[in-house]
Structures are given as C-alpha cells and as structure tokens.
Amino acid sequence: MPIKDLVASLSDNPYFGAGAGLFGIGMFTALARKGTQMGMILFRRHCMMSLEVTSKDKSYYWLLNWISICGTHTQHLSVETSFSQSETGKINTTFDFVPSPGSHFFRHKSTWIRVERNREKQMVDFQRAAPFESVTLTAVGFNRSIYFDILEEARQLALQKQEGKTIMYTAMAAEWRPFGYPRRKRPIDSVVLDEGISERIINDVKEFTQNSKWYMDRGIPYRRGYLLYGPPGCGKSSYITALAGSLDYSICVLNLSEKGLSDDRLNHLLAVAPEQSIILLEDIDAAFLNRDLAKENPVAYSGMGRLTLSGLLNAMDGVASAEARIIFMTTNYLERLDPALIRPGRVDVKELIDHCTSYQLERMFQRFYPDEPESNAQMFSHKIHSLGKHVSAAQVQGLFLKHKDNPENALNDKNTAMFFNCDLCTVYYSSSNGVTVMGVMETGRGIYLQRRQALRRKGFVWHKAKSLSRLSEGGGNLSLSADNLSSWRPKSRK
Ligand SMILES: Nc1ncnc2c1ncn2[C@@H]1O[C@H](COP(=O)(O)OP(=O)(O)OP(=O)(O)O)[C@@H](O)[C@H]1O
C-alpha cells in the first residue's frame, strides 16, 4: 500500500487519532518538564546565588540564631537548650529556637531568601559527636554583599550577647565548645588577694602578651604557665576568671581527672584551644592522685582516664601558637605535684593564694560595706584574727552575705564565732574568797587569752576552761549562772 493511502486510512481511524493526540500531549508535557528543569538549573546557575554554611563553621550557630530572631517567621522550629549552674548552685536554663531542618523563606532588605537546613543522617561530625548539618541560603541576583551583610549581622548579634562577658569553653570529644551562657565579667578587684599578688600576676601576664616579638626572636615558645596553689575557697578560680575578663580572654576549662582523657586527646585539645583564651587546668594534683588509687584498686578504677604524667608534660611542652598561650593551673596540694610539672618553662609563676590576711579582711569588709568607717574594717579584721582560726575568703564572703544589710551583725562577736563554728568554752575564774564566774565564754584562743591576762591583772586565778559545745549547737547561750556550775567542781590551782 502506498504510504499516502496508509496515512489517509490512519487519519480516518478515530482510535489512531486519539492515541496520537495523547502521545503528543505526553511528549509535550515531558519536554515542558525537562525544559523547566533545565531552565531552573540554568536560572539557578546563572541568576541565583547560594551560600552553604556547614556545622563545622564558626558562623553556623550565629547564622541559625540570627535567622530565628531576624529572619524567618517559620512555624517549624528546633530547640537548643542551654544549661548552666552558677557557683552558688543556681541553675539557669534557656531555650533558643532555631529553624528546624527543611526549607524556610524570609525577606531581607527586599530580597527573598530561601533557607534550607539539612541534617545528614548518614554522616556524623565526630568532633561534635552530632549529625553533620548544613544551612544553604539561596537568593535571586548576583549581589554577594547580601550574604556578607547577613553574616556580619549574625556575628554582631552573637557578640552582643557576649559583650562584657567571659566565654567558658569545655572540652567535648576533640574540640572546645562554649559551656552554658557567657558569664558576666567579674571585676578583678572584687577578688581580694593578699597585698601585691594580683598586681604581680597582672603585670606578668600583660608583659607576656605584649612581647611576642621578644619570644619569636629568641626562639622561645610563646607560652607562659602560672600555678595558683593554696587552701580551698581562697579565690584561685575566681581570680583566674576575673583576670580573663579583664584581658578580654575566654577560658578553656579542662578537668584532668575526666574519664577518657588520653594523652593524645589532651595534646590535641591544647593545640586547638581557641585563640585569646586562658587554658585552666583545675586541681592538677587530682588526675595523678587517681592513678595512685587506681594502682591500689585496679577493679574500682578500671576504665578511668588514660592520661599519664609524661603525656601531660609533653602536651604542655607542645603548646605553641603565634598567639600568646597562657596556661593556669590550680591545686590545693602543691607538695603532691611532680617537680617536673612545675619546673620553669612549664610553670613560670607560682603564687600562694592563702587564707585571709588582715589586709584582705579589711579590704573585703570595705568592699561589702562601703559606707562603714575604716576603723570598723580594722575592728573586723582584728576580731577574725582573735578567733585563732584560719578563714578563707569564701567563708568571709558567706558571713557578709548573711549580714549583707547590717554590718553591725558582721562585727558582732557572737555572730562571727557562730559563723566560723568556733569551739565554745566556759571559763571559770575564782577570786581568793570563792568561785566567781567571770569569763563566760571564749570565742577563740585570741580573745580568751586577752581576757585571761586582764583578769589575772585584777587578781583572779584561772581554774579551767571547759569545752561545752559548739556555739551553733548550744543555741548561742552565752551567760552562765552559778546553777550551771553545780555539776562541776573546779580544781584549785596551787
Ligand atoms: N580572695 C577572694 N576575694 C573575694 N571573693 C573570694 C575570694 N576567694 C574566694 N572568694 C569567693 O569564694 C567563692 C569560692 O572561690 P573560688 O572557687 O575562687 O576558690 P578556690 O580557691 O578556687 O577554691 P578551690 O580550691 O576549692 O577550687 C567564690 O564565690 C568567690 O567569690
């Protein structure tokens, strides 16, 4: 059959006509779809700009935070909870909402921007021990500055939160992560150390940070180690935090007795610590104390950290950076430290932060009660010394907090004795013609001795001081009458 006839017969066939029509429509739709896809790809490639920020990048959380505050009004949010516990034990929990994984749109300076937050299920960011994530911003046009603007705004927003604050970092797996919210900077003079100590440390740190060239020229590693040692509660940690604030540094706190801290991990952490930060190794003796206990009782301590002294020494020696690297260590037991750990080069400055001296007591009193005359500060210092007890600044702070609105109470013998839990004694004196109760109590050896001497001068003979009870238990009953003496017979002293 000639082709002409075949075409004529097919065109008369209604089934064929319908099939050809459907085929044509399908073809057209497929081509249109393909064309749109190609068009979109070409449009994206040539007319749109996108920016990908991965969770490994520092600006990742700044950006998410910025988007949730200034950008999208999406109803699909994820929560980021920050938890911090202050030294007083108070717990602060705050929720931040960030866009959840998926697509969101927002308008920035008359440009529509699409935000796509992706969470990879298959990939884990080992540094953060969390799924790998990324955020992609896409906008029409070629104006790159829009992304610079956004990143800059996000950065400023994040830094605003940190202004006047000290960021604390803690070690998470192999990286440093901010711990809780940045803390308000503590004024350095609010930590009252003994005369000259604070000035010595500040001058040394400043001299060090301003002399990088001196170190470079002589090929000396640009790092400096400080050791603050002394009894608990005397201000070692508080001082380091205040110092970091005054230098505008952050603090990287590392607990050497943490389970699973190996030599390699410590080495890595010290090498990647954020710039402009103080590395704080607290209670440095504790890490190796555990090791001794572990030797004695391997079962109880199995699985404890694998940090060795030589690992710590090597890690400290390896700390090198173009930036000034400052390491602070604290301990309550200097004598427990290995001499190799505190030799010059590892520890360049050692300072004893001890119990309160008169200088500190007076200054603390004046800081807490600025309207009180200086003579009261001196009286307070005298009273505390006469208790015959070593008191830490933390204890003194506690006493002031208890009587924060009433300095008279902080100066009261009974209150101070009660607060510092002094052993109370009833003191019996006799005159030559019989027992007379004179010295009712002593709040400490200092006061007691003074009274004794005064009484002796008046001709009284001291018989015995009998420890009755702690004042806190005794309810502060200071007066004695003859009845109290009935069960007690003083031995006369020849
Ligand atoms: N010298 C000081 N001046 C003012 N406050 C102080 C001083 N020392 C301690 N404090 C207060 O006492 C509390 C505990 O202090 P901090 O933790 O700094 O002591 P520490 O010496 O580091 O103790 P530890 O050895 O137990 O870690 C803080 O609230 C701090 O404000």
Side-chain angles (χ1 to χ4, degrees):
M1 196 188 291
I3 293 179
K4 212 172 155 191
D5 293 346
L6 182 68
V7 171
S9 74
L10 282 178
S11 60
D12 289 343
N13 184 334
Y15 296 108
F16 181 77
L22 280 176
F23 177 74
I25 291 170
M27 184 88 154
F28 176 77
T29 323
L31 279 174
R33 206 176 55 217
K34 200 78 189 155
T36 321
Q37 277 174 356
M38 293 288 289
M40 277 307 289
I41 290 171
L42 286 174
F43 183 71
R44 257 196 221 156
R45 192 169 293 167
H46 296 289
C47 306
M48 291 179 100
M49 244 186 7
S50 56
L51 172 81
E52 189 193 39
V53 184
T54 66
S55 51
K56 288 190 170 200
D57 196 277
K58 191 154 182 69
S59 51
Y60 182 74
Y61 286 100
W62 297 351
L63 190 60
L64 282 188
N65 188 37
W66 181 87
I67 293 170
S68 64
I69 293 174
C70 312
T72 176
H73 298 291
T74 181
Q75 289 164 297
H76 306 287
L77 299 163
S78 298
V79 67
E80 302 251 322
T81 308
S82 302
F83 175 91
S84 69
Q85 188 163 13
S86 68
E87 283 156 357
T88 55
K90 188 179 167 211
I91 292 173
N92 271 327
T93 316
T94 322
F95 304 109
D96 277 334
F97 292 113
V98 293
S100 65
S103 291
H104 313 272
F105 288 90
F106 71 93
R107 209 174 149 88
H108 177 69
K109 292 185 184 161
S110 75
T111 309
W112 277 101
I113 297 178
R114 177 177 184 237
V115 183
E116 206 173 355
R117 184 174 173 199
N118 292 312
R119 181 174 290 163
E120 295 287 339
K121 293 202 178 78
Q122 318 290 334
M123 279 168 71
V124 173
D125 179 349
F126 282 108
Q127 283 201 342
R128 297 186 313 124
F132 182 81
E133 292 188 357
S134 68
V135 164
T136 308
L137 303 184
T138 312
V140 179
F142 302 100
N143 187 6
R144 281 180 186 210
S145 64
I146 189 168
Y147 292 136
F148 284 116
D149 281 357
I150 291 177
L151 288 175
E152 185 53 29
E153 275 183 33
R155 187 181 72 91
Q156 281 183 7
L157 193 75
L159 295 187
Q160 242 173 38
K161 265 192 180 175
Q162 292 166 8
E163 210 168 283
K165 308 229 170 119
T166 307
I167 309 174
M168 310 286 288
Y169 287 95
T170 183
M172 291 272 226
E175 69 164 5
W176 294 98
R177 294 196 65 184
F179 177 67
Y181 279 114
R183 295 187 186 187
R184 197 138 47 85
K185 279 184 188 168
R186 179 171 181 163
I188 191 114
D189 54 358
S190 75
V191 186
V192 184
L193 302 186
D194 198 12
E195 200 167 2
I197 296 183
S198 177
E199 290 73 17
R200 274 203 298 280
I201 299 176
I202 294 182
N203 290 342
D204 192 279
V205 171
K206 286 202 171 142
E207 210 263 341
F208 168 67
T209 50
Q210 288 159 6
N211 279 307
S212 60
K213 192 168 175 315
W214 190 91
Y215 281 82
M216 301 299 160
D217 290 349
R218 284 159 187 78
I220 302 173
Y222 192 28
R223 62 164 181 264
R224 198 148 176 90
Y226 297 81
L227 175 72
L228 304 188
Y229 64 98
C234 292
K236 297 179 290 299
S237 314
S238 311
Y239 182 75
I240 297 165
T241 316
L243 178 72
S246 80
L247 294 172
D248 267 331
Y249 271 42
S250 47
I251 302 186
C252 297
V253 187
L254 195 56
N255 179 0
L256 293 185
S257 50
E258 181 196 308
K259 274 187 189 179
L261 181 66
S262 63
D263 292 352
D264 287 345
R265 201 176 137 222
L266 176 72
N267 211 351
H268 175 79
L269 284 169
L270 293 193
V272 299
E275 293 191 336
Q276 302 262 307
S277 63
I278 286 178
I279 297 174
L280 172 57
L281 309 178
E282 281 207 291
D283 298 325
I284 191 139
D285 54 284
F288 304 105
L289 192 68
N290 279 341
R291 248 149 285 277
D292 295 341
L293 293 173
K295 266 187 214 154
E296 284 167 24
N297 190 350
V299 179
Y301 285 83
S302 62
M304 292 290 281
R306 284 158 290 145
L307 182 67
T308 61
L309 177 63
S310 64
L312 172 64
L313 300 181
N314 286 336
M316 286 173 72
D317 291 343
V319 171
S321 148
E323 287 274 326
R325 177 54 76 216
I326 300 171
I327 303 182
F328 264 87
M329 287 173 262
T330 67
T331 181
N332 298 135
Y333 309 98
L334 179 68
E335 66 287 353
R336 290 188 189 166
L337 299 183
D338 194 295
L341 184 61
I342 50 177
R343 70 140 169 81
R346 295 196 182 110
V347 170
D348 304 286
V349 177
K350 271 189 233 122
E351 286 288 354
L352 168 65
I353 310 293
D354 211 350
H355 288 120
C356 285
T357 59
S358 309
Y359 174 89
Q360 283 169 280
L361 290 169
E362 284 174 30
R363 264 154 206 73
M364 285 184 78
F365 187 90
Q366 281 166 337
R367 272 197 71 85
F368 263 82
Y369 307 113
D371 299 333
E372 288 294 296
E374 207 182 318
S375 56
N376 277 0
Q378 285 164 359
M379 193 200 298
F380 174 74
S381 147
H382 184 73
K383 276 176 192 283
I384 298 293
H385 277 304
S386 62
L387 292 177
K389 277 202 154 192
H390 291 305
V391 297
S392 68
Q395 285 175 301
V396 175
Q397 177 181 279
L399 175 74
F400 291 159
L401 285 176
K402 192 165 176 210
H403 304 293
K404 58 177 179 303
D405 301 321
N406 193 345
E408 289 298 311
N409 281 347
L411 283 167
N412 180 301
D413 277 344
K414 183 178 152 189
N415 288 339
T416 47
M418 192 142 54
F419 192 84
F420 295 111
N421 219 7
C422 289
D423 233 353
L424 261 198
C425 291
T426 45
V427 187
Y428 303 92
Y429 297 95
S430 66
S431 63
S432 48
N433 49 359
V435 173
T436 315
V437 179
M438 289 299 298
V440 173
M441 61 161 285
E442 64 139 323
T443 52
R445 230 177 328 137
I447 289 180
Y448 168 64
L449 286 175
Q450 279 170 18
R451 287 194 184 164
R452 201 167 97 182
Q453 276 161 15
L455 287 164
R456 263 200 196 141
R457 278 199 292 276
K458 288 185 185 165
F460 286 95
V461 179
W462 173 75
H463 281 275
K464 186 176 178 182
K466 186 182 179 194
S467 177
L468 275 188
S469 64
R470 285 180 179 269
L471 183 57
S472 48
E473 291 160 15
N477 181 9
L478 303 184
S479 60
L480 267 192
S481 66
D483 299 343
N484 298 76
L485 287 173
S486 55
S487 61
W488 183 79
R489 291 275 160 268
K491 284 182 203 151
S492 23
R493 220 158 150 243
K494 299 280 176 269

